[in-house]
Amino acid sequence: MSEVVYEETATMIAAGDLQSFVPFGREHCRNHPNAFNLQLRELQPASELWSSDGAAGLVGSLQEVSLQERERESWQLRKGCTGVKEDEFEEELYTAGNMAVWSQGSRTQASSVYKAFTVDSPVQQVGYRKKVEQMVCIVQSSCINVHTVTGKDFISPLPFQVSNVWATKFGLLLERKNAANDTQPNPPGEPLPTVFSILHPLDEIAPIVCKPSGILYHMILYKEQPAGTPLGLMASGFLASHLRNASHLDSPGGSGGSGGALHSHPSRIMTSSPGVHSRVHSPSISNMAALSRAHSPGMAAPSFSGASRFNTSFHSPSPRGHHGSLPSLNSTANESMAMPEMEPIIPDLCVEQLWSEAVSAEMSSQASKVFLTSDLCESHYLCFLVESHQHLRCVKFIESNDVTQLIFPSVTTIPAKDAAPLQNIDAMLVLEACGSLVIYTGITRVSKVHLPSPLSHSISLTNHLPYLSTPVETVSTPANAGSRHIHRLNEDAMPSPVSELKSLNIKQHETSFFEDFSFQQATPYILSLRDPVCNRVTLELSSGVMLRICIPEIVLVKWYNIYNAPGGPSAHAEWSQFVTCFMTLMGYNTERLAWTRHLQFEVPLSPVIAAKKARPSDGGSDEDWDYLLASHYHRQINSQPVCGSVDPNNADSPSSSSMKLESSAPLFPHIPALFGVLHLLYQELQLDELHRARASSLVCLLQQLARDLQLEEYVDLYWRDYPSLISCFMERCIIDQAAIGQMHRPSFLSSDPPCVFNWLSSCLRGEASPPFPYLPGICQRTKLLVLSYALYIIGDDNAMSTNVWKYLLKLSAGMFHCCLFLYQMLGFWSFTLKDLESVPFGVALPIREAIYQCREQPSSDWPEEVCLLIGRQDLTKQAHKMTLAKSKSVGSGFSLVPPASSEADEEEDGMLDIIHEVTGLIWSQDLRIQEVRRLLQSSRPVRVSVVQQPEVSDHEYIEEKENKLLQLCQRTMALPVGRGLFTLFSYHPVPTEPLPVPKLNLTGRAPPRNAMVDLNSGNIDVPPNMTNWPSFHNGVAAGLKIAPASQVDSAWIAYNKPKSPELANEYAGFLMALGLNGHLTKLATLNIHDYLTKGHEMTSIGLLLGVSSAKLGTMDMSITRLLSIHIPALLPPTSTELDVPHNVQVAAVIGIGLVYQGTGHRHNAEVLLSEIGRPPGPEMEYCTDRESYSLAAGLALGMVCLGHGSNLIGMTDLNVPEQLYQYMVGGHRRAQAGASRERHKSPSYQIKEGDTINVDVTCPGATLALAMIYLKTNNRSIADWLKPPDTWFLLTTLARCIIMWDEILPNTEWVKSNIPQVRKCTDDGITDCSSFLKGFVFPSQAQDYITAGACMALGLRFAGSANSDAFDCLYEFAKIFMKMMSFAGTAMGYYNLQTCLSMILLAMSMVMAGSGNLKVLQLCRFFHKRTGGEMNYGFHMAHHMALGLLFLGGGRYTLSTSNSAIAALLCALYPHFPAHSTDNRYHLQALRHLAVLAAEPRLLVPVDVDSLKPCYALLEVTYKGTKWYNETTVELMAPTLLPELHLLKEVKVKGPRYWELSLNLSKETQHLKSILVRDGVLYVKLRAGQLPYKDDPQGWKSLLATAVSHRNSGVTAFKPEAISTFTSEPALISFAEFFCKTSEGLKSREDSLMLFSAMLYECVTQECPEMLPTYIAIEQAVGALRQGDFQQTFPLWQLRLVVELWDGRMLRGLANKHDTLLTSEFLPVMKNAVDVALDNWLKDHSSVVRSYMRGEVLSRDAQSIMLACFLVYRSIPSFRNTQANLEGCNSFADLLLRSSQLGIPLRDLLRLVPILLIHGEGVRGH
């Protein structure tokens, strides 16, 4: 038995896994604090709760149990409403006792309580509602609680007991419980209303009236349908009603034509069986409409006049003038008379009866469930379940054309015990009486549902039971069209997947049959279905258990495949039915037309037999052959008449002429319009290879209509398309002339038949054509192709926007250069390459050519869909946003190449992340990256090499080693600044791990025994706090590794805080680094406050500078307040004096400059201007390190007014330039204004400056402030103020040069021009140096400082440019200074020379930033080794900063020359470096890291899109023209650093190795910026046959190099066996395998092999594999023409389009030959073969052409087919037009003059000259 079960269930539809279902709210109520009041007990089995009357299942059972027995519970499920498809979930609304629980859950996420409500009295019902906003309505015995999701709460009192509540889009519908006294009728004889409405919680309750029958008494409502579907309502009398707003209606008894009915969005209602005596069903049956809730109970309630209002009579005249009387709402007439002053209650809603069904005796029971469903054909059904009869009645309904009413054509009855809709899959699940679950789509039975365990184990118990067949449907109105197919799926002897158990009211013999198997009573069976949501439904079993199942969405696909399998009802049978029906409606007698009479014997165009059942043997029978011989396929192959033997000569015989059309047929007046529409549909089918076979069926119908309408041109067109088919049709039907006048002839039905191929052909020939008609929504492909040709061939750029109707006629009552717009439209129409494959090859060729052109020369910013369409994988991947978002770093797709060292070392030095394949490509010839890493590592002990002299004691030797270590430590402590620049933005931290910070190791190892040398031994004096600032720098370096795109949050930042106080300085630097890379904005304000209140100086400095850098130029007020607390000058004069450390004040001042950079903020500028000259105060206030504060104020002022020059709006009264000049040259201090006067009124007791400005303090800050304000302004008057003074030569020279920005030139002459000449006095001959030398021992000192300042300006001017002239100039001066240092006792002094040399080295590093130049690296390494003498901490810092800038970001970053970048570099590279590690007197060390703000990513890394590895690619970079140079193009080998983007016009990936790609920067640079920010990954695609530059630097190994070494030898040198090295395209590889290799069977066809190889070579070398099918199709068409093996002319149409495209290209010349397809000799050869074949046929059969031109009836032989081919290919118009235009034509000259009228191309006209002239004579003779 098990085998049978397996085989049968395999044909069923398997449901998803069973899941035990328990309402989530039940568990929540048990655990709720109020659970002891609810006293909720376990559910009893359903068998105990229900008697044997066969009532519905557990769906509404608990409402039948009284509250004394147990607490009532109910629930309802619905689909969650989020609008996001991926977030599909279910919502449950559960009630029990006084509680309502709203929960949410899905298959992937556990259920959770969304809201829970507890009310005062037991909940009667609960439901959702969504009108304006979502709400939840909780019905109690005396009121309704309404809670909205926005927090509004309402309480609506109830004047009566409510039994049911439903939600509609108008409001709530309430059903009143029937009291005993209600059974007595009112005096008018009408019962009281029981159905009321309340439109808003604050409105009054009003009765619902029914039109035309009056008051509505009882109903069952079904809701929750998708938009656009009706709303179902069951009420007494099987009334289908239409819910309306009563305020716009007449009286209920009035006519139905009242205006103002809400027809725009109707809510449909349907009513059910009569009687108010039946049990009330729980509303949980239906999916309640979308309503939501809030949480707290509301206090608002409407004011009612009491319950007596609802006992008031309505017999008083209606205030609205209703001509009837509204039914009474009271029980006695006396009460109505006692309260005459009460106004009647006006109804708000009215239901209108739309349909009713006669109620018979056996159908009088009440329906228990109603729902809407639809089938696969989008037919809608209203289904209601009559449980007492166990059947489901499906009422089909459709909307009328004017969408004002519903039409109910049929009612179908399906045997069912229960049913539930499956909305997602257009189906419903039916529980049959036998216990089986069956899926229906509409009223068509699909299949049984197989349930997995725990029910499937009981299948074997019922396998031996006979199948209890029941009627599938009963149709009460015209039969359903699908009924004849249903019996195919009758599962004879198919076992039910569920134990079959009939209910107790089934037929007697069935009941007795089951009584014999009483043991099955213990087996659980399905009692009912409930809670359908999407494709999920709950099964209630007889045991009380509930199971949730899911019906897979693939179910109907499987059913459709089985239902339409071979042998089933064929598509041709459906077509024959359509033709018969269609022609009959038009007035044809299809029995008298031979071809329609035989339609039912047709099969599709294949010899497949529609077998009823598979035969057991393959022998067949004679019937099969007879069937084949009678088939359409056989007749078409043999060119036999489809309609049998119809004699064409008898076409006009009496029997034929008697076939007249019935003019009274419904569609008779519309025959021309229908014909025109079908003709356009025929043209649409011609453009789709997948549907073209249907065109041959449609053309039979079209030719008949064209003949009868006497449209001979159309018949001729159809004959040209299908000559062998149309020649068989000669029958005509007569249409009365009088009837023709009655026909509606549309304007678009012209005498000249629209032919899309002709239109496209005219477009290719450049001829003007009328707009082509199309049907919106049907002829989409026609529209797309016509507009594409107009755009590409004609060259109308507006073809798809403003000029659409120039080419298309909508039926209702060049090319676009670079083709971007075309492909945007193709993407907009969802037209893909797959769709293009279904377009005929001739039509598709121009589009493929346009795609090829775009593929060759695309734009880099095209959307992904367009790139996918043109076949550029590199651009597709580049445009894919997800790929760009996920590629956090270049290394994400590449394998890292770590150096050859231990893992511990790699983890310690903090530079591991630099080593990857990109740097290996940039510097592939040496190991400079490893060398830089060695120079900058500070985590390992240094080597202390000191040789012990014989006279030195051991103790002295130890001191000597420690002194040497102290010197080395000066260098080690300076390394982190450079390392931070080197590893900039190279690391993506793991959110669950702390950031690894390399140690700052200040120990040493002494050879030869590697003994430890430590500074803490006490032998030598070590400066206190020596490591504070180096630790800070180390923390900054570690933090700068974090890339800006990393996932960093506030918790992770706090997580990195060290527990050890010794590491607090490192963490301070870490915070500053997070600000520099933008992550500090994510730090919570509470954490910032916590850090600042600790009072740790370093933490405050790092935090203030960090948040200021992160908010650069934003004027953020919260950061401003944070900074102002630390700057006394920004505080009110009466504020409490705060003890802010000096360095923190410096950092805060710089922070103000950063936050307000470039804003020109007046107040801050005024404060900062005065702070530059802040005098020292009493009690040693502002007396130490005044220089750094003044400098910071000057830098901050310069940043606030950065680049404003003389345009300082609103600051004229401040005289900023004059005040700064005074700070530079000295003079009397100006009086302080405002708050500053009070603060500085007491002079210093220690420093006696008097009223004079101390220029030694103020000059540096004022100089740089002036330089930054007038940066790049070329203001000569300001620059003249900065001519060499008595001191500060370096700064003034630097400031003057960057003001005169455009005059900076990269040569030594310009540098030397900044040095003033020493003039001699001619009067007395005494040599006098200029006053600028005052104070210097030798003039050379001033000269060297001026030189260093000019070199510094030169470095800023060409920062990040790698300008060779600038570098050579700087390198020349570096060598000069190196020589000067080599002379001992030089007059300049070692310190001064070293300072100048350090500045020049930094200038060189700025110019070559990120390039890793070897010469600069050699200089840096040279200075790295020098540790003795005066080489102090500051010089080491400068040298290693230069090294870090040289390899900025591991070569991925370089410097910008924007104003902001220059300001940052001036702060960071201030030319006064600290003398020791704790020195902040002249410049705050933390500002050295601001150089990061000048860095920008400009490394472009080509990545092969196939291998995802970085590679070399040749770039062509075009510079814009400037006043210094014209537009210039240079070639760079990427990976490379690009110049600044504003200088560039275009960046292009150059061939021939890779596909070309152009990045046009002349319009906008955002696209390239986004590429560079995402680590500069530019995807490139290697061309076929090419090798990467890494494998083939010179291009000599290319697979095409030898193939093209000799002219035209490519095809012969090409070997198909090597195809896999050219391409990975599977189609090309398979084609080479099977069609291009010589084998035993193909030796005789060497020419074919050569042809195929040539095709393959063409496709491979041009990289257009999609052209291979086109080549093959052309070859096949030509071969078929040679053999005369054509049945239709479609291939000739395509050949004609291909040839015309080729001719157009030839006429325009071959200037763009590389942009065109079919460039080989293939097409000319094929074209010549066609010409030869047709010319030979014309030579032998010219009489056939003459017969055609005379209009004679043609024979049905092969010559007729060849004639059609000739006419199509040669563009010969219809014979009638030709005959008219040839009248009077008697010479060749006349023929040429009329060539344009004939419409025949000149080359084809020449071939027809003899025939046309003879024909013209014949016409003249007649």
Side-chain angles (χ1 to χ4, degrees), residues 407-429:
I407 302 172
F408 300 86
S410 65
V411 179
T412 306
T413 301
I414 296 175
K417 184 179 175 182
D418 203 349
L422 304 172
Q423 295 179 2
N424 271 21
I425 55 178
D426 293 326
M428 62 179 173
L429 190 63

Side-chain angles (χ1 to χ4, degrees), residues 1629-1676:
I1629 294 175
S1630 300
F1631 183 79
E1633 177 71 24
F1634 296 108
F1635 294 97
C1636 300
K1637 289 185 179 179
T1638 306
S1639 60
E1640 294 295 331
L1642 293 176
K1643 282 187 176 179
S1644 59
R1645 301 193 60 184
E1646 289 292 336
D1647 55 341
S1648 298
L1649 290 177
M1650 286 294 296
L1651 182 61
F1652 289 151
S1653 295
M1655 294 178 185
L1656 188 61
Y1657 177 80
E1658 195 77 20
C1659 292
V1660 166
T1661 54
Q1662 291 195 13
E1663 293 202 59
C1664 49
E1666 66 276 5
M1667 283 300 296
L1668 187 59
T1670 303
Y1671 282 116
I1672 296 174
I1674 293 174
E1675 196 273 335
Q1676 287 180 334

Side-chain angles (χ1 to χ4, degrees), residues 247-281:
S247 62
H248 299 289
L249 293 175
D250 294 332
S251 68
S255 62
S258 59
L262 303 179
H263 288 297
S264 58
H265 298 287
S267 290
R268 310 292 188 187
I269 318 178
M270 187 169 175
T271 57
S272 181
S273 54
V276 293
H277 56 80
S278 303
R279 62 181 176 84
V280 180
H281 288 271

Side-chain angles (χ1 to χ4, degrees), residues 1737 1740-1750 1754-1755 1757 1759-1760 1762-1763:
W1737 178 86
D1740 299 334
H1741 302 90
S1742 57
S1743 59
V1744 180
V1745 181
R1746 295 193 190 98
S1747 299
Y1748 169 79
M1749 297 180 69
R1750 287 195 291 267
L1754 299 173
S1755 61
D1757 55 6
Q1759 305 311 322
S1760 172
M1762 286 299 295
L1763 173 63

